[in-house]
Amino acid sequence: MRNRIFKFPAKAKTTVYLLTATGFAYQAVDSNFLSHSSDSLPISSHFPEKIRTGIDGVVRSFRAISTITFTVVDYKYSLHGLPVDSDEYRRKLSETHLRSAKRILKLCEANKGFYAKAGQFVAALRQAPKEYTSTLSSLQDQAVPCHFKAIKEVLVSNFGRDLSEIFLSFDEQPIAAASIAQVHHAVLKCHQEVAIKVQYPGLEQQMNVDTKTMSVLSKSIAWIFPEYRFEWLASEFAGATALELDFIQEARNSERTAKNLRDNKVIRVPHVFWELTTSQVLTMQFCGGHKVDDVDFMNQMGINPIKVVKALIEVFAEMIFVHGFVHGDPHPGNILISPEGQNGFSLVLLDHGIYKQLDEGFRQDYCQLWKALILLDSNKILHLGERFGVGKHARYFPLIFTGRTIDSKSALGGGMSEEEKRNIKQELKSLKMNDISMFMESLPPDFLMILRIDGLLRSVIRKLGVPQQVRMLAYAKYAVYGLSPKLDLESDFAVKVVFSRLLMNMNYLKLRLIIGVFEAILALQKFKDILCTLYIKINGTFWGIMLDPTGKGLNIT
């Protein structure tokens, strides 16, 4: 059955025309007036700072409105009249996804700052189409550093002293640059090596303009095309970004995490130098290392990637399931691997700007969800889906987190059978954009953050070539720990602490034993199938030779 003839909702026509006209007007203005002056500098750079910020905000907003308008119209006209269950529709949809992702990448590269961060945010969402995640992932390493003159002004303004009074040396070339700040290496007068994170000037005003523009655009799209609703994404991004602008809070997050993970001998959290830390400048201990997904470095140093992944996942599993205080941006640039440590390596956890304090009720439910996912307890999963507010769509939780269907017979981490793949593909065809929007809108904010974190961790695991089963078993282990009573190691009796830990380990071993039995049964079934196939072939060969000793007419399959 074909879609009804494409037609804009009556209430939306005027808005679309205005937005499209604005887009075309912006293209002309941007290319001929606002972008470049005779000396190749932006015209806005010749005005005082407040006026410059205002002009830049208008230009950035027009650029965003133009891009999003063209993108929405592209989707509507490209898919016009095509049956949603047809191969042609899926082909056109993929082409439009890719075209739109490239268009948005260009927007993020032009607007930089928070737009680049928004692109990174989308790239980390596993729920986004692969055309978007693969295209926008290039933004992770594209931040252009700010000129040191502007950075020095921020430092002197915040420290109240010249840099020569504080540092023996200060490297003007940044060792890292991101969308909101860059990091410099320096040596204090006491010969202590430090890393200094400096916020770009004028960011707060820029953030207000950019996040409001994103919010207005997402609301406008939802109003014009109700099936395309992204307000949840704009809201979640704005909330996460606002947290990053206060470096005092980031320093507090860092110290709290160091305290929570103090018993973990693999993880290192750099020490904060409070006397040189403000809301715009964060000074911390310098810790060297390579990105956690640097396979060549691990091979060179003889470090086992499986051990690295296990350590990494256990750190984040402890944050999520036990403490409920979670680092929200674990991309490879924020986690370094160093060859120093008791186990032949250590992990350095950086960038503590985005954290999520999980609601205690949510934390407990999420622990229960992972127990149910590991055991594939469909009734429990659906019950928890009601608590999470997604209703019947909870049946897709196993698919999202473990790669199995809710009624799967495959082993944990073993993927789906061909029959299961065909069935789920057919089932997913019936889902509409409105269903996906409703699912994402219904999820608690805590769940959205967890999805992003899990997506980033899974990409690291894939890069290192480690089976996803390592991640799932670590989650199962810490889900059991998270459901156990919390103890104060300093005030509770030693016997009580030992008994509680013994109980936790017994519960985990019980869960692991059940998983092992399931996997053993499946392995025996596969072994039985292999033996049957081998028997049939041998038997066929034997009777073939008996019936035709010459072998001329023999055709053994």
Side-chain angles (χ1 to χ4, degrees):
M1 180 177 166
R2 294 181 67 83
N3 289 348
R4 56 189 173 84
I5 295 174
F6 168 69
K7 187 177 180 181
F8 280 111
K11 66 179 182 180
K13 281 185 179 179
T14 303
T15 306
V16 170
Y17 294 151
L18 285 173
L19 287 175
T20 307
T22 300
F24 281 119
Y26 164 70
Q27 296 292 337
V29 171
D30 185 46
S31 58
N32 293 305
F33 178 71
L34 287 174
S35 291
H36 298 88
S37 64
S38 58
D39 58 359
S40 298
L41 289 172
I43 277 189
S44 60
S45 66
H46 299 289
F47 293 100
E49 185 177 347
K50 284 189 177 180
I51 298 176
R52 185 167 69 243
T53 301
I55 293 174
D56 287 345
V58 170
V59 172
R60 291 155 65 82
S61 297
F62 276 161
R63 191 182 284 129
I65 291 169
S66 163
T67 301
I68 300 303
T69 300
F70 291 146
T71 298
V72 171
V73 173
D74 188 6
Y75 272 100
K76 278 296 178 182
Y77 277 101
S78 297
L79 304 175
H80 161 52
L82 296 175
V84 294
D85 57 349
S86 66
D87 290 336
E88 178 67 7
Y89 177 89
R90 285 187 285 275
R91 185 181 67 79
K92 283 283 188 181
L93 181 62
S94 179
E95 289 175 358
T96 312
H97 280 334
L98 184 59
R99 209 163 45 239
S100 301
K102 289 179 178 178
R103 195 181 292 126
I104 290 172
L105 175 63
K106 189 176 177 182
L107 166 68
C108 294
E109 289 173 339
N111 277 3
K112 301 183 176 66
F114 293 104
Y115 283 87
K117 195 150 196 72
Q120 294 169 4
F121 193 87
V122 172
L125 284 174
R126 292 188 63 253
Q127 292 66 42
K130 66 180 184 299
E131 292 85 357
Y132 280 89
T133 55
S134 59
T135 302
L136 297 177
S137 62
S138 64
L139 291 167
Q140 292 287 6
D141 301 310
Q142 284 191 6
V144 179
C146 184
H147 194 279
F148 185 69
K149 181 181 177 182
I151 293 296
K152 185 176 181 180
E153 288 177 3
V154 174
L155 288 166
V156 172
S157 171
N158 279 267
F159 291 154
R161 289 177 286 169
D162 189 73
L163 300 187
S164 61
E165 298 178 37
I166 306 170
F167 304 102
L168 278 178
S169 64
F170 194 106
D171 190 350
E172 295 184 6
Q173 189 67 29
I175 56 176
S179 51
I180 69 166
Q182 62 192 52
V183 181
H184 290 261
H185 176 266
V187 180
L188 297 174
K189 293 283 189 179
C190 63
H191 298 277
Q192 170 70 53
E193 282 188 278
V194 292
I196 303 174
K197 184 177 180 179
V198 189
Q199 195 174 116
Y200 299 136
L203 263 190
E204 193 169 342
Q205 299 92 317
Q206 192 184 94
M207 186 198 74
N208 291 334
V209 173
D210 289 350
T211 53
K212 283 176 182 175
T213 301
M214 292 176 193
S215 178
V216 168
L217 281 171
S218 63
K219 288 177 180 176
S220 299
I221 292 169
W223 183 65
I224 300 169
F225 309 112
E227 69 272 30
Y228 292 90
R229 297 195 301 278
F230 303 106
E231 290 177 69
W232 61 270
L233 183 59
S235 175
E236 186 66 18
F237 170 73
T241 303
L243 296 173
E244 282 197 276
L245 292 186
D246 184 359
F247 287 180
I248 296 278
Q249 185 58 49
E250 179 173 346
R252 292 193 187 112
N253 293 341
S254 172
E255 291 197 334
R256 182 175 172 185
T257 297
K259 183 179 178 182
N260 286 345
L261 302 175
R262 61 187 178 275
D263 294 330
N264 190 316
K265 304 305 179 186
V266 176
I267 198 75
R268 292 169 62 194
V269 179
H271 170 74
V272 175
F273 290 83
W274 280 102
E275 66 276 13
L276 296 174
T277 294
T278 69
S279 61
Q280 290 182 302
V281 179
L282 173 59
T283 304
M284 56 204 142
Q285 171 191 6
F286 176 80
C287 295
H290 290 245
K291 287 184 178 182
V292 74
D293 64 349
D294 191 335
V295 182
D296 293 337
F297 173 72
M298 290 185 209
N299 291 335
Q300 181 185 341
M301 301 304 297
I303 299 172
N304 187 339
I306 294 179
K307 290 184 177 180
V308 172
V309 165
K310 189 173 183 294
L312 173 65
I313 297 301
E314 288 200 347
V315 165
F316 278 86
E318 184 178 344
M319 288 189 204
I320 294 168
F321 294 104
V322 179
H323 304 296
F325 186 64
V326 194
H327 189 300
D329 197 18
H331 68 74
N334 288 339
I335 307 163
L336 304 181
I337 181 167
S338 167
E340 304 168 1
Q342 293 181 2
N343 300 313
F345 71 91
S346 59
L347 297 176
V348 182
L349 193 58
L350 304 175
D351 198 347
H352 301 269
I354 299 179
Y355 265 77
K356 190 74 172 180
Q357 175 63 64
L358 302 180
D359 174 78
E360 180 59 17
F362 171 83
R363 186 189 68 80
Q364 291 275 342
D365 286 343
Y366 192 66
C367 289
Q368 293 284 4
L369 176 62
W370 263 95
K371 274 190 69 176
L373 288 170
I374 295 298
L375 299 176
L376 219 55
D377 184 344
S378 56
N379 290 332
K380 186 69 174 177
I381 292 170
L382 293 173
H383 171 70
L384 288 166
E386 294 294 335
R387 292 179 62 85
F388 289 130
V390 297
K392 64 180 181 179
H393 295 306
R395 65 180 286 101
Y396 298 113
F397 280 154
L399 188 64
I400 292 170
F401 288 111
T402 66
R404 297 190 291 178
T405 60
I406 197 165
D407 51 1
S408 176
K409 301 296 185 292
S410 62
L412 182 66
M416 291 181 281
S417 67
E418 290 303 317
E419 183 183 358
E420 287 171 341
K421 287 179 182 177
R422 284 194 299 271
N423 291 340
I424 195 64
K425 187 176 181 181
Q426 194 62 37
E427 186 176 337
L428 292 176
K429 282 181 182 178
S430 64
L431 289 179
K432 300 176 182 176
M433 188 66 197
N434 191 50
D435 295 318
I436 298 171
S437 295
M438 284 180 64
F439 175 74
M440 298 304 289
E441 284 178 331
S442 300
L443 287 172
D446 288 357
F447 212 123
L448 293 172
M449 177 67 86
I450 293 295
L451 284 173
R452 170 181 160 78
I453 294 167
D454 188 57
L456 287 166
L457 293 174
R458 289 171 80 163
S459 67
V460 172
I461 296 171
R462 279 193 297 273
K463 180 79 178 289
L464 295 180
V466 175
Q468 290 289 340
Q469 189 179 34
V470 174
R471 158 184 156 273
M472 296 177 204
L473 291 175
Y475 280 2
K477 176 180 177 180
Y478 281 89
V480 171
Y481 290 176
L483 290 170
S484 303
K486 289 188 177 180
L487 297 172
D488 187 336
L489 299 183
E490 296 178 0
S491 61
D492 287 326
F493 292 114
V495 175
K496 183 180 178 182
V497 172
V498 171
F499 180 75
S500 179
R501 283 184 171 172
L502 180 62
L503 193 61
M504 279 193 302
N505 288 327
M506 285 177 64
N507 284 333
Y508 171 66
L509 288 173
K510 179 182 174 183
L511 186 64
R512 189 69 183 87
L513 181 62
I514 293 170
I515 296 168
V517 170
F518 285 164
E519 291 178 339
I521 291 171
L522 288 165
L524 284 172
Q525 183 62 50
K526 287 181 181 178
F527 184 63
K528 180 182 173 183
D529 293 343
I530 291 170
L531 286 178
C532 288
T533 304
L534 188 61
Y535 173 77
I536 291 168
K537 284 189 175 182
I538 292 172
N539 203 37
T541 303
F542 173 77
W543 284 108
I545 293 172
M546 291 295 292
L547 294 173
D548 186 3
T550 65
K552 293 179 180 178
L554 199 59
N555 182 19
I556 301 169
T557 58

